[in-house]
Amino acid sequence: MNKWIKMSMGMLLTASLISGCGKDGSTTNATDGNAGTTKTLTLGTSADFPPYEFHKVVEGKDMIVGFDIDIAKEIASDMGAELVIKDLPFDSLLNELSSGRVDMVISGLSPTPERAKQIDLSDIYYKAEQAVVVREADKDKFSTMESLKGAKIGIQTGSIQEDIAKGIEGAKLTSLAKISDIVLQLQSSRVDASIMEGPVAKSFVKNVKGLAITDAKPEVEDDGYVIGVKKGNSELLTQINKTLGELNSAGKIEEYVTKATELAESK
């Protein structure tokens, strides 16, 4: 092999190794040996959770949008970083975070004690009620939590709703990674009901014919939603909390929720 080709390949390999060595878990890409670098903040999310995060064709291009994504963009902007989004199964998010493959997780994440042992959690940025979704014909049949005893319930794996469903006497659970798959189970009568976040339930009922939200009210100590970072990444956590505080003070998060809900409901 020509020695100049060998040297060029060596330089490329060195550059690729440098690009993976972010100081705080984020990726820093070296550029031609110059002092300037591009910092990349990698977000892990499960983008089937409208209006939090979901796929939407915008100007002919498939995009991941939602109010969680708007928040993530603000965090990256405040850090002077480029946001990179990884769409992952919900039940794999914490492992991806702990392994360093993503820098933060935003995906309707509740601050449970179990999660707090595995990762570090931000301040609460939003709260929402839980809802029970069924086929329209079964709205009156499952109007209370008591009526769900023995029912077949579709639930998202690893979610707080899965914990709620496990507390329902005799319930037969079908745990799936994606909410959209649970909706298909409902439509095909493979499950009788599902427990979802209120905004998520409203979005699917609005867009999927034949579904309804019942009067049943799941009881849960709702502490709201947080952003997760790898254990010990205090620098990133401090920046996240700073951005969240500023967004809440300015009323921006409610604006993001309204915008994302309208986007999720639009054709």
Side-chain angles (χ1 to χ4, degrees), residues 146-163:
E146 185 79 10
S147 65
L148 289 171
K149 287 183 177 180
K152 294 178 290 185
I153 301 177
I155 216 73
Q156 188 174 45
T157 307
S159 67
I160 193 171
Q161 293 78 33
E162 186 176 44
D163 292 336

Side-chain angles (χ1 to χ4, degrees), residues 19-71:
S19 71
C21 299
K23 173 184 174 184
D24 58 2
S26 59
T27 302
T28 305
N29 299 314
T31 59
D32 300 328
N34 296 326
T37 58
T38 301
K39 190 174 184 180
T40 303
L41 182 68
T42 303
L43 166 68
T45 192
S46 182
D48 67 329
F49 208 54
Y52 293 76
E53 44 272 318
F54 56 102
H55 286 267
K56 186 77 174 182
V57 176
V58 180
E59 296 180 353
K61 185 178 179 182
D62 179 48
M63 305 282 288
I64 296 177
V65 296
F67 73 85
D68 275 352
I69 305 303
D70 288 335
I71 292 170

Side-chain angles (χ1 to χ4, degrees), residues 48-219:
D48 67 329
F49 208 54
Y52 293 76
E53 44 272 318
F54 56 102
H55 286 267
K56 186 77 174 182
V57 176
V58 180
E59 296 180 353
K61 185 178 179 182
D62 179 48
M63 305 282 288
I64 296 177
V65 296
F67 73 85
D68 275 352
I69 305 303
D70 288 335
I71 292 170
K73 287 178 179 177
E74 287 295 332
I75 294 167
S77 177
D78 287 349
M79 294 175 63
E82 177 186 350
L83 182 68
V84 174
I85 304 172
K86 286 189 175 182
D87 186 5
L88 302 162
F90 184 82
D91 58 352
S92 73
L93 289 175
L94 300 196
N95 286 334
E96 291 289 307
L97 185 59
S98 296
S99 68
R101 287 188 286 269
V102 300
D103 299 316
M104 65 179 184
V105 164
I106 307 178
S107 199
L109 194 68
S110 300
T112 64
E114 292 76 17
R115 288 171 181 163
K117 292 176 184 176
Q118 187 175 352
I119 62 174
D120 286 339
L121 305 173
S122 75
D123 296 335
I124 290 167
Y125 66 89
Y126 187 71
K127 291 188 176 184
E129 294 181 347
Q130 308 298 318
V132 175
V133 179
V134 298
R135 292 178 294 281
E136 278 184 329
D138 293 334
K139 185 177 180 180
D140 293 333
K141 179 179 178 180
F142 297 110
S143 60
T144 66
M145 294 304 294
E146 185 79 10
S147 65
L148 289 171
K149 287 183 177 180
K152 294 178 290 185
I153 301 177
I155 216 73
Q156 188 174 45
T157 307
S159 67
I160 193 171
Q161 293 78 33
E162 186 176 44
D163 292 336
I164 295 170
K166 285 178 179 177
I168 298 173
E169 184 182 333
K172 302 171 186 65
L173 305 191
T174 297
S175 296
L176 299 169
K178 291 185 174 293
I179 299 287
S180 53
D181 290 338
I182 295 168
V183 169
L184 289 174
Q185 295 279 311
L186 263 175
Q187 288 180 297
S188 60
S189 300
R190 290 185 176 90
V191 299
D192 302 312
S194 179
I195 302 171
M196 303 179 189
E197 307 288 351
V200 176
K202 289 176 183 177
S203 180
F204 275 106
V205 167
K206 176 81 173 181
N207 289 286
V208 179
K209 188 177 180 180
L211 298 184
I213 296 173
T214 78
D215 292 331
K217 301 295 181 186
E219 292 183 8

Side-chain angles (χ1 to χ4, degrees), residues 7-17:
M7 289 175 65
S8 298
M9 290 180 67
M11 291 172 67
L12 286 171
L13 177 59
T14 302
S16 67
L17 290 172

